[in-house]
Amino acid sequence: MSKIVGIMFFPLALFLLSNCEKVLPYAGEDDDRLEINVLADPDTTLSMYVFRTFSASEAEVTSMMMTDYWKYVLASNYNADSLIRKDVVLSNAQAKVTVNGAEEHQLRYDPEKHNYTCGYRPKEGDMLRFEVTAEDYPPVAAEVTVPRAGRMEILRTRKFVDSKWSSGVSSDGIMDWGMDTVMSITLRLTDPGSERNYYRLKIRSIGENRNEAGELIDYSFSDVFESSDVIFMDENLVEGCWGWPANFSNVFDDRIFDGTSYTFTVESRQRFGDNTHVVVELQSITPELYYYLKSIMLYRITDQDSYTEAIQIYSNVDSGWGIAGGISGEKQIIYF
């Protein structure tokens, strides 16, 4: 029988990643386990989501036709998540984190955010061990070390009009509806040596809409960006998805520039609205988060039907599912 798990946090199935894949045995209908999702970030205090998993026959939403699903949404006043949480989110678990093998912190359930939090703010280099127990479920644990941040510099920018963006699809297969003005950004990444490092580059173009009083009404944004640099090439992603072209991934490692500086250029399309700008964020990520994100990218382009092999989402949670990852980094803002 198939299993359904709680929703993973990034906004993120594992292809063959040598020894990095973990396969958990499924013993039958009663083999329910916990799922935990946590991202250790020095910019904020720790928080963790804890979900229960259950068989597909137990999941009301999974068996619905689309018309029934919308009835489900309407019944919850357009907040289907509130109805799903009562079956998925666990509020009575016991969760703790041990920092560097010594200092312990209890994570308490927050009924407003539906997660477990504590006041500890992780630091680069921290070794964190998360342990969660709940009645009727095997205890789960996961470990992660917060990575050192790579150094990012913006060397130059250039704004220009590109006619290939006259429609919503470029000649390169990128789907992105916005203006035909493009910001070219040249970056230099300085990589720490003596270890394999992993990165995610986020380029978010934002346009704001404000009223006459200058108050923000709404805004539009896109995370899609373009680059021909080899670091973004991923031959496993044979199809495009969510605006990205085939063979493109903003998650990469340092194998071609280990311990050195590397210069590359990206392009971001301007949004409609006022105060248009681009947020450039380089995230140093843990190996576990790297493999998790890569598996999610592959899962998004794979047809999930009876004729294809099931995609295994990467997990580093012992006796359960989910991901414990870590990030560190920096961001800069460039105005159009």
Side-chain angles (χ1 to χ4, degrees), residues 33-36 130-133 138-142 317-321:
R33 296 176 184 265
L34 296 177
E35 176 191 338
I36 63 173
F130 298 92
E131 297 175 85
V132 180
T133 58
V140 299
V317 178
D318 292 332
S319 302
W321 285 274

Side-chain angles (χ1 to χ4, degrees), residues 68-313:
D68 294 328
Y69 175 76
W70 281 111
K71 292 178 183 178
Y72 187 80
V73 172
L74 289 171
S76 64
N77 193 26
Y78 290 94
N79 188 13
D81 281 351
S82 65
L83 295 179
I84 295 173
R85 285 191 185 111
K86 67 181 176 61
D87 291 326
V88 177
V89 175
L90 277 184
S91 60
N92 60 346
Q94 291 77 49
K96 71 175 182 179
V97 58
T98 304
V99 182
N100 298 321
E103 183 180 351
E104 287 190 0
H105 299 270
Q106 299 296 320
L107 289 92
R108 312 290 184 184
Y109 183 71
D110 184 336
E112 293 185 0
K113 297 181 179 179
H114 307 282
N115 62 4
Y116 291 77
T117 64
C118 72
Y120 183 74
R121 186 187 296 266
K123 306 177 186 66
E124 292 184 19
D126 273 354
M127 294 181 290
L128 307 175
R129 177 175 174 82
F130 298 92
E131 297 175 85
V132 180
T133 58
E135 187 176 358
D136 300 327
Y137 294 92
V140 299
E143 296 182 352
V144 66
T145 299
V146 182
R148 291 187 294 163
R151 182 165 161 244
M152 176 186 69
E153 300 171 83
I154 295 178
L155 301 182
R156 57 186 174 272
T157 63
R158 181 171 66 94
K159 185 176 69 173
F160 61 95
V161 174
D162 193 339
S163 59
K164 77 178 181 182
W165 288 113
S166 58
S167 66
V169 183
S170 78
S171 58
D172 303 316
I174 302 175
M175 299 179 63
D176 186 21
W177 282 264
M179 301 177 68
D180 58 4
T181 301
V182 174
M183 178 74 76
S184 172
I185 307 167
T186 300
L187 304 166
R188 180 162 59 204
L189 187 163
T190 302
D191 179 71
S194 71
E195 60 186 8
R196 177 57 54 85
N197 296 291
Y198 302 86
Y199 299 96
R200 178 170 67 165
L201 181 68
K202 296 187 67 176
I203 306 290
R204 172 165 289 186
S205 181
I206 302 174
E208 300 175 347
N209 293 310
R210 297 180 179 272
N211 59 21
E212 294 181 355
E215 300 169 328
L216 181 64
I217 302 173
D218 56 33
Y219 65 95
S220 62
F221 71 90
S222 174
D223 291 325
V224 175
F225 67 90
E226 185 176 9
S227 179
S228 59
D229 198 278
V230 66
I231 63 172
F232 300 112
M233 293 185 63
D234 188 336
E235 295 180 352
N236 294 289
L237 302 178
V238 295
E239 297 179 15
C241 184
W242 292 2
W244 300 97
N247 304 124
F248 188 93
S249 170
N250 66 330
V251 178
F252 54 94
D253 62 27
D254 66 351
R255 67 184 63 194
I256 67 172
F257 55 86
D258 182 29
T260 64
S261 294
Y262 188 79
T263 300
F264 59 94
T265 298
V266 300
E267 294 180 358
S268 180
R269 190 177 182 190
Q270 189 174 15
R271 300 298 100 195
F272 293 101
D274 302 319
N275 192 33
T276 53
H277 57 281
V278 179
V279 179
V280 181
E281 182 177 1
L282 177 68
Q283 297 177 345
S284 296
I285 62 176
T286 55
E288 298 85 1
L289 185 56
Y290 171 89
Y291 292 123
Y292 172 77
L293 292 171
K294 286 292 190 181
S295 69
I296 289 293
M297 291 175 179
L298 185 65
Y299 181 88
R300 293 187 314 191
I301 65 171
T302 306
D303 292 331
Q304 300 299 300
D305 58 39
S306 57
Y307 297 100
T308 60
E309 185 176 352
I311 300 299
Q312 178 74 36
I313 302 295

